[in-house]
Amino acid sequence: MQIEAVDFFYLSMPEVTLEGDGSQDALLVRVAAGGEVGWGECEASPLVSIAAAICPRSHGACQPVLASVLGQHLDGVADIARISRLVRRNSLDLLQTAHTLSGIEIALWDLLGRRRGEPVYKLLGIKQAFPKMPYASVLFGDSAADTLAKARAIRAKKFRAAKFGWGPYGLGSAEDDRDQVTAAREGLGPDGILLVDAGAIWVDDLDAASQRLAALSAVNAHWLEEPFVSGALDAYRALAAKAGKLRLAAGEGSHDTYMARHLIDHGGVGFIQIDTGRIGGIGPAKEIADYAASRGVTFVNHTFTSHLALNASIQPYAGLAEHKICEFPAEPKSVAFELTENHLMPGDDGMIHLPEAPGLGMTINAAAVARYGVDTEIRVKGKTLYRTPTLPLEARR
Amino acid sequence: MQIEAVDFFYLSMPEVTLEGDGSQDALLVRVAAGGEVGWGECEASPLVSIAAAICPRSHGACQPVLASVLGQHLDGVADIARISRLVRRNSLDLLQTAHTLSGIEIALWDLLGRRRGEPVYKLLGIKQAFPKMPYASVLFGDSAADTLAKARAIRAKKFRAAKFGWGPYGLGSAEDDRDQVTAAREGLGPDGILLVDAGAIWVDDLDAASQRLAALSAVNAHWLEEPFVSGALDAYRALAAKAGKLRLAAGEGSHDTYMARHLIDHGGVGFIQIDTGRIGGIGPAKEIADYAASRGVTFVNHTFTSHLALNASIQPYAGLAEHKICEFPAEPKSVAFELTENHLMPGDDGMIHLPEAPGLGMTINAAAVARYGVDTEIRVKGKTLYRTPTLPLEARR
């Protein structure tokens, strides 16, 4: 079958705040081929990823992403990798490419799975999808007292693991940060798995990060996530050597497989966190999951948006039984939660189970797409290169 | 002084072809502060870099680039680095950020230099700007015969060095590629410095690249550029180990200093090629120039567009007398050449000399900006977030 159409839907909360909450907007991608559609989602900045899809070309290696997608044949799994290589080649000099490609690639897997009547993980060669233990992923409270309350609420919801991140962490003194992680531990109880996310706040400042290690060890944190930006391999390696039992987690910024491999090979991380909405989709994320497993590094999804993105980010390591923990957006904004009609909520066993339905098995909520839709238009030389697709969704094809 | 305005001018040839020629369009940036203006240029994909400047925010670490630039104080060199850090932080999750920032950062140096009455290289702490030996940078001909003719023409123009790249190189057999480089050597003569640019065609395929080494050694090529994509450090290191006297060159894809350092530290390159229009501007490029010098690696600019970009890309290593060679776009499209009124043409000594005028010392050609301007408009939620600035330039401020 031939790829006939790729449409982008930019959704947003009416107001987007400055908090470090990535669930405030979303870019949904719909790919149509052979009478079937598939859905994916790009992380982040919807307008810029749309622009990368439809921009006028600058030269042969700086073409719009859609130039390498529309009209391509999609008859099997190998075509997805082939199309991705073509996009990377023809849009080599367009920096935003990987984020735009990611949503499209996810939609291609969904579409092919629907066509074949098989869940995506089976298309990936995974025989059995093992359940994942969700960790509630939330922002630190503005104060330690707020964080304590958040942690208690998470515990009351029966989560066995929680991650606190961003907010004031790293912005004040090491003592402030100690109070925050101590409050998180107190609220979570002694047995809860506690994860801490610094949100790259120290950029590549080894000393600043080192000052937080003692408090993190004292509260028995399971990992320290993103003390540094993704490229700061030297700082990662040096901090990992100092961190003792505490392991480092990073990788969400990876926009290709090389970046993720470098964090494993040169950065000394213990957990590699991949967002399928950024790295180029499900295929490259699967490659990293297998690579991590071969190197004794634990793979974890990065997801702070919708359950479509959550689903797509779990598929790549569904077959790795020992890589158990999974990020679960516990306080998403309504746009992210309502984007799908069904959700990957923890089952009676407290675990996340991938659907066994064809493709990703998620149903897009047409009413939410209409309600949160952001009317957008890009015009160049008097021609409309992009306009928000006509709604309702059903009427479109 | 306070940054009052940042304006983007998207220029393009009427027709943009699929050849690997990055001079077919341009994104000019004008920054205004304290009654002064400065000019910079972003590489590549003007529409996408504009979108990254003005997009609605997605969250606190995914803000439009201009949110961290407008209203900032610019009173000295340290402010440029401070503003750049702020942009990187507040636009962390926006992949296109570095390309948009680059043009702005260059304009900030130009503006500060004009204000101080000093050339940019002096603001960088460089006492003397050493002349650079330009290599004519051109695409391979469609056939070896075409390449021979191109090489002869370059020799006739008295260039002592030339780089041939992209076009058919790497797309056919190793024998075809041998014929191409042999023709280039023949046309250039035995004494010309011959550089070969594979344009990342082999992605990370070590074997494919290795098959070209013998022919490159036979024609005494000075370097092989970008056999692989920027992230393929393992392939670079392995090829460098096989390449004998032939050294590898890479780095143009670096969109932060980490990527460039990794090519030096882990990729084994002999030449590090930095495009100030991509890496974040002149400041980070200077950091890499100094780092390269400390590691015995030669710094080279990457420039395939205008003489404004050429100027900005030479500033960072103007003080490194031993790092002599510089990329010179020898067959630019008219939009790139006409964008400035003055040019950095080789002097009687055959060398490129930076202007001693304040800032970058380049004068923007207002008529060319009008002639090649691409009318562009981005509307979100009924509001115009971007529209091509009003012309003529003089009337704007």
Side-chain angles (χ1 to χ4, degrees):
Chain A
M1 52 186 170
Q2 202 171 17
I3 298 175
E4 296 146 16
V6 179
D7 289 298
F8 293 87
F9 300 85
Y10 176 0
L11 313 182
S12 178
M13 298 298 292
E15 295 293 328
V16 172
T17 72
L18 284 172
E19 61 181 342
D21 176 358
S23 73
Q24 302 184 77
D25 64 7
L27 182 60
L28 195 57
V29 186
R30 181 183 60 193
V31 177
E36 194 69 68
V37 300
W39 293 92
E41 191 178 335
C42 303
E43 254 285 282
S45 196
L47 180 67
V48 183
S49 287
I50 291 169
I54 55 81
C55 59
R57 69 177 171 226
S58 288
H59 56 84
C62 194
Q63 299 183 51
V65 171
L66 288 191
S68 310
V69 177
L70 289 170
Q72 292 293 321
H73 282 278
L74 176 66
D75 298 314
V77 164
D79 285 317
I80 300 178
R82 179 183 58 75
I83 292 167
S84 294
R85 280 195 303 273
L86 199 63
V87 168
R88 296 266 188 191
R89 174 69 195 162
N90 292 339
S91 302
L92 179 70
D93 285 350
L94 206 180
L95 188 47
Q96 188 71 13
T97 294
H99 286 194
T100 302
L101 169 61
S102 295
I104 296 170
E105 204 258 16
I106 292 167
L108 293 176
W109 285 102
D110 186 37
L111 199 163
L112 196 63
R114 288 167 188 255
R115 177 78 166 202
R116 297 262 180 97
E118 285 205 286
V120 167
Y121 76 82
K122 290 207 170 156
L123 297 184
L124 287 168
I126 296 169
K127 289 202 171 60
Q128 184 188 349
F130 294 96
K132 300 296 177 191
M133 183 204 295
Y135 68 79
S137 191
V138 299
L139 303 177
F140 274 111
D142 288 337
S143 66
D146 291 347
T147 295
L148 177 62
K150 279 197 178 206
R152 283 182 174 150
I154 287 168
R155 188 182 183 186
K157 285 184 193 164
K158 308 287 183 199
F159 280 102
R160 285 172 251 170
K163 184 172 84 184
F164 294 82
W166 296 74
Y169 193 78
L171 293 176
S173 68
E175 290 69 34
D176 294 340
D177 290 350
R178 180 198 58 204
D179 293 347
Q180 281 279 2
V181 299
T182 304
R185 168 54 75 200
E186 186 184 336
L188 213 58
D191 299 331
I193 295 173
L194 173 59
L195 315 166
V196 174
D197 179 2
I201 191 70
W202 300 300
V203 187
D204 56 10
D205 182 344
L206 180 62
D207 287 344
S210 300
Q211 290 167 25
R212 273 69 181 187
L213 292 180
L216 290 165
S217 293
V219 301
N220 191 27
H222 192 59
W223 79 46
L224 169 63
E225 174 174 339
E226 286 218 315
F228 311 120
V229 294
S230 300
L233 300 180
D234 294 345
Y236 271 106
R237 193 172 55 247
L239 190 67
K242 289 178 159 197
K245 261 180 58 186
L246 178 73
R247 291 161 82 194
L248 303 184
E252 68 177 82
S254 302
H255 53 82
D256 59 36
T257 54
Y258 306 109
M259 292 180 69
R261 282 171 180 257
H262 298 158
L263 280 163
I264 293 171
D265 294 341
H266 304 295
V269 301
F271 298 89
I272 187 80
Q273 305 172 291
I274 298 301
D275 196 317
T276 49
R278 292 178 180 169
I279 198 171
I282 291 173
K286 170 72 159 57
E287 182 186 326
I288 295 305
D290 293 342
Y291 187 73
S294 77
R295 292 295 190 277
V297 166
T298 304
F299 185 96
V300 195
N301 66 307
H302 172 267
T303 308
F304 216 88
T305 54
S306 75
H307 281 230
L308 175 66
L310 176 64
N311 180 313
S313 282
I314 293 176
Q315 301 283 347
Y317 76 118
L320 300 175
E322 305 300 313
H323 301 227
K324 188 157 269 175
I325 209 168
C326 96
E327 179 162 40
F328 183 84
E331 297 175 332
K333 294 286 186 287
S334 57
V335 59
F337 195 75
E338 296 173 17
L339 189 153
T340 52
E341 292 186 2
N342 54 336
H343 297 90
L344 268 57
M345 301 309 286
D348 293 339
D349 55 357
M351 305 291 276
I352 302 291
H353 299 257
L354 283 180
E356 295 294 333
L360 297 174
M362 303 303 287
T363 304
I364 299 302
N365 179 346
V369 173
R371 189 159 59 249
Y372 294 102
V374 175
D375 190 42
T376 303
E377 184 176 8
I378 301 176
R379 291 175 61 82
V380 173
K381 284 189 185 178
K383 276 180 62 180
T384 297
L385 297 189
Y386 175 81
R387 181 178 286 159
T388 301
T390 312
L391 295 173
L393 289 182
E394 290 75 3
R396 172 70 179 164
R397 299 204 57 250
Chain B
M1 53 187 169
Q2 202 171 17
I3 298 174
E4 296 146 15
V6 179
D7 289 298
F8 293 87
F9 300 86
Y10 176 0
L11 313 182
S12 178
M13 298 299 291
E15 295 292 327
V16 173
T17 72
L18 284 173
E19 64 182 339
D21 175 358
S23 74
Q24 302 185 77
D25 63 8
L27 182 61
L28 195 58
V29 186
R30 180 182 62 192
V31 177
E36 195 69 71
V37 299
W39 294 93
E41 191 178 336
C42 304
E43 256 285 284
S45 195
L47 179 68
V48 183
S49 287
I50 290 170
I54 54 82
C55 59
R57 69 178 171 226
S58 289
H59 56 81
C62 193
Q63 299 183 50
V65 171
L66 289 190
S68 310
V69 178
L70 289 170
Q72 293 292 320
H73 282 278
L74 176 66
D75 298 314
V77 163
D79 285 317
I80 300 178
R82 180 184 56 76
I83 293 167
S84 294
R85 280 195 303 273
L86 200 62
V87 168
R88 295 266 189 190
R89 174 70 195 160
N90 291 339
S91 303
L92 178 70
D93 285 352
L94 206 181
L95 189 48
Q96 188 72 13
T97 294
H99 285 194
T100 302
L101 169 60
S102 295
I104 296 171
E105 204 257 15
I106 292 166
L108 292 175
W109 285 103
D110 186 38
L111 199 162
L112 197 62
R114 288 166 187 255
R115 176 78 165 201
R116 298 264 179 94
E118 286 204 284
V120 166
Y121 75 83
K122 290 208 170 154
L123 297 183
L124 287 169
I126 296 169
K127 290 202 172 59
Q128 184 189 349
F130 294 96
K132 301 295 178 194
M133 183 204 293
Y135 67 79
S137 191
V138 298
L139 303 178
F140 274 109
D142 288 338
S143 66
D146 291 346
T147 295
L148 176 64
K150 279 196 179 210
R152 283 181 173 149
I154 287 168
R155 188 182 185 186
K157 286 185 192 163
K158 308 286 183 203
F159 281 101
R160 285 173 252 168
K163 184 172 82 184
F164 294 82
W166 296 74
Y169 192 77
L171 294 176
S173 67
E175 290 68 35
D176 293 339
D177 291 348
R178 181 199 58 205
D179 293 347
Q180 281 279 3
V181 300
T182 304
R185 168 54 74 202
E186 185 183 336
L188 213 57
D191 299 330
I193 296 173
L194 173 59
L195 314 166
V196 174
D197 180 2
I201 191 69
W202 299 301
V203 188
D204 56 10
D205 183 343
L206 179 62
D207 286 344
S210 300
Q211 290 168 25
R212 274 70 182 187
L213 292 179
L216 291 165
S217 293
V219 299
N220 192 26
H222 191 59
W223 78 45
L224 170 62
E225 174 174 340
E226 286 219 313
F228 310 120
V229 294
S230 299
L233 300 180
D234 294 345
Y236 270 106
R237 194 173 53 249
L239 189 67
K242 290 179 158 197
K245 262 180 59 187
L246 177 73
R247 290 162 80 197
L248 303 185
E252 68 176 81
S254 302
H255 53 80
D256 59 36
T257 54
Y258 306 109
M259 290 179 72
R261 282 171 180 256
H262 298 158
L263 280 163
I264 294 172
D265 294 342
H266 304 295
V269 300
F271 299 88
I272 187 80
Q273 305 171 291
I274 299 300
D275 195 316
T276 50
R278 292 178 181 169
I279 198 171
I282 291 173
K286 170 73 160 57
E287 184 186 324
I288 294 305
D290 294 343
Y291 188 74
S294 77
R295 292 293 189 280
V297 165
T298 303
F299 185 97
V300 195
N301 67 308
H302 172 265
T303 308
F304 215 88
T305 53
S306 75
H307 281 229
L308 175 66
L310 175 64
N311 181 314
S313 282
I314 293 176
Q315 301 282 345
Y317 76 119
L320 300 175
E322 305 301 314
H323 302 227
K324 187 158 269 177
I325 209 167
C326 97
E327 177 162 41
F328 183 86
E331 298 175 333
K333 293 288 187 286
S334 58
V335 59
F337 194 75
E338 295 173 17
L339 188 152
T340 53
E341 291 187 0
N342 53 336
H343 297 92
L344 268 59
M345 300 309 286
D348 292 340
D349 55 357
M351 306 290 276
I352 302 291
H353 299 257
L354 282 180
E356 294 294 335
L360 296 174
M362 303 303 287
T363 304
I364 300 301
N365 180 346
V369 174
R371 189 159 59 249
Y372 295 102
V374 176
D375 189 42
T376 304
E377 185 177 8
I378 301 176
R379 291 174 62 81
V380 174
K381 283 188 185 179
K383 277 180 59 180
T384 297
L385 298 188
Y386 175 81
R387 182 177 288 158
T388 301
T390 313
L391 295 173
L393 288 182
E394 291 74 5
R396 171 73 180 161
R397 298 204 57 248

